[in-house]
Amino acid sequence: MVYREATEWLFAQRRQGERGTGRVRTLLERLGHPEAAFPAVHVLGTNGKGSVVAYLEAAFRAAGLPHGAYTSPHLQDFRERIRTHLGLIPEEEVVAFVAWAKGEAWPEPPGFFDLATALAFQHFQKRGVALAAVEAGVGGEKDATNALPRVVLTVLTHVGEDHLEALGGSLEAVAREKAGAFREGVPVVTGAAGVGLRVARQVAAARGSPLYVLDPEDPLFALPAPPALKGAFQEPNARLAAAALRLLGFPEEAIAQGLREARHPGRLERFLLEGVEVYLDGAHNPPAAQALAREFSAYHLVFGAFPRKDVKGVLAHLLPKAQSVRYTRAGEGALGRELGEPFFADPWEALEDALRLAREDGAPVLATGSLYLVGALRRGLLGG
């Protein structure tokens, strides 16, 4: 088996049955409980999770700490999801894990995210990480990442209306699913507001978890350096990361360096193509689209999305500033011509058509709606 075959098999695995941690716990038990080998910061929320992990990861690196980071989705290569101080997980390790998983008999076949999570934890054990930053997938309490036994701090970035169907159908249900991952007595740092904050307060109080709520005036959330990631919507993420790092005892020098050096591709990422600014961003729900649109006065929009997303809600924020729009297929299984017209099956053709008008009026091109669309276009922009 080669790496491409291994990842194709991983992507083809679908979860069967109810959401929960049972399948991943079975995986971890058979692997000898690698999840017990390291402490972790568990990062939950609707938006901003990956950015917080990026800041944490950069600060861990600045402090010289053997560390791990687990995020999703990837943009171009599955291995981007699983990183340590020594770099991306090696291809041969992915292949060996898949060969093992395929050869096992499972009472409940694990899905893709169960497998990826178990692989990440096994890799962190092998690399001897001293601390890992782990981004939850969908939800919290029933998310595979909640199998972590040694959570030392929880970050709840934001609670918004995404994955409503999977998480209970209401904003309060989403908040309870995410806050359900709070650990007894473990500190929580949060940027939640409204219903999300109310639920977070209730759960934290019931579990004896100290709760620190984002307040720019509070020194705990101070920014010792300008955040590297672009966009006003990134400031709260940077403040949450800074607070988390202070609570963990990191020196201010490492926090500042982490803020300055964080990298998170595909989030308001700027390219210059044929003299035109092209921005890629993975905004895929209304709060993210609203924050993204605030960064521009006008743009030519390239948009692709997947089923079960609030496409109308996202476009309601994006279309008012769009000088023109092109719809495209974000990836396999994504929405097609039903998005609207003009439709381009190939994202790169949509981008090239947008460039035609952008060269005339000087407005940038904004491609968004899905990180999978971002990954497809980014490959071409980087010449890959």
Side-chain angles (χ1 to χ4, degrees):
M1 183 190 307
V2 296
Y3 175 68
R4 180 183 55 78
E5 293 170 330
T7 54
E8 286 177 354
W9 182 85
L10 278 173
F11 299 148
Q13 303 313 298
R14 298 286 181 265
R15 185 187 73 237
Q16 298 179 17
E18 297 295 318
R19 294 179 61 251
T21 60
R23 287 171 293 272
V24 74
R25 290 183 188 279
T26 299
L27 274 162
L28 294 169
E29 181 179 6
R30 294 192 187 180
L31 290 171
H33 290 293
E35 77 282 10
F38 55 89
V41 179
H42 199 195
V43 184
L44 313 157
T46 303
N47 294 319
K49 299 188 295 293
S51 297
V52 169
V53 171
Y55 285 120
L56 295 176
E57 184 180 12
F60 296 169
R61 185 180 304 112
L65 191 71
H67 63 272
Y70 178 52
T71 56
S72 60
H74 60 275
L75 293 180
Q76 293 168 249
D77 184 345
F78 169 80
R79 298 187 305 136
E80 297 167 20
R81 296 169 177 254
I82 304 171
R83 312 180 293 275
T84 72
H85 51 289
L86 298 176
L88 304 183
I89 184 172
E91 289 186 0
E92 57 267 25
E93 195 168 325
V94 178
V95 172
F97 176 84
V98 167
W100 168 79
K102 288 180 69 174
E104 293 283 304
W106 303 104
E108 288 185 275
F112 167 78
F113 196 69
D114 300 311
L115 291 157
T117 301
L119 173 57
F121 294 171
Q122 182 189 53
H123 182 60
F124 294 165
Q125 179 192 43
K126 290 179 177 179
R127 288 289 192 254
V129 307
L131 183 61
V134 176
E135 176 187 350
V138 175
E141 184 175 15
K142 296 178 181 178
D143 190 77
T145 59
N146 202 32
L148 286 166
R150 297 176 59 192
V151 174
V152 293
L153 189 139
T154 302
V155 179
L156 174 62
T157 59
H158 164 268
V159 177
E161 294 185 348
D162 195 17
H163 303 293
L164 279 179
E165 182 180 340
L167 300 182
S170 70
L171 192 58
E172 178 157 348
V174 171
R176 293 206 174 277
E177 162 65 17
K178 294 183 187 298
F182 293 178
R183 308 306 177 92
E184 297 283 343
V186 173
V188 177
V189 175
T190 186
V195 172
L197 180 56
R198 175 172 59 80
V199 171
R201 288 190 188 282
Q202 291 172 353
V203 176
R207 299 186 181 180
S209 304
L211 184 68
Y212 301 88
V213 181
L214 176 59
D215 177 0
E217 301 301 317
D218 185 340
L220 179 67
F221 294 92
L223 295 177
L229 304 184
K230 304 303 180 186
F233 55 86
Q234 286 291 358
E235 182 182 316
N237 300 326
R239 292 187 182 278
L240 291 172
L245 290 161
R246 290 190 179 102
L247 289 171
L248 291 168
F250 279 77
E252 286 296 306
E253 296 80 6
I255 298 172
Q257 188 173 338
L259 292 175
R260 287 193 299 266
E261 296 182 356
R263 297 291 179 266
H264 196 27
R267 281 72 175 182
L268 202 60
E269 188 174 14
R270 178 184 177 273
F271 295 86
L272 196 63
L273 184 62
E274 299 175 13
V276 176
E277 287 184 310
V278 176
Y279 289 88
L280 304 183
D281 191 274
H284 60 273
N285 54 51
Q290 182 179 36
L292 177 62
R294 289 195 189 111
E295 298 295 319
F296 299 90
S297 58
Y299 43 72
H300 295 281
L301 181 64
V302 175
F303 183 84
F306 279 77
R308 299 185 182 176
K309 293 297 181 181
D310 183 2
V311 174
K312 288 184 178 179
V314 170
L315 288 174
H317 294 296
L318 295 175
L319 290 179
K321 292 184 178 180
Q323 303 298 99
S324 67
V325 61
R326 284 141 195 86
Y327 299 100
T328 188
R329 194 177 299 279
E332 186 177 349
L335 295 170
R337 197 172 295 277
E338 63 266 38
L339 283 170
E341 295 289 347
F343 175 78
F344 295 79
D346 182 348
W348 193 257
E349 290 183 7
L351 177 62
E352 288 183 327
D353 194 65
L355 286 171
R356 177 175 51 81
L357 288 182
R359 281 192 293 269
E360 295 176 4
D361 63 14
V365 174
L366 173 62
T368 189
S370 166
L371 278 169
Y372 292 96
L373 172 63
V374 167
L377 291 175
R378 192 171 186 269
R379 188 176 297 110
L381 289 165
L382 291 172

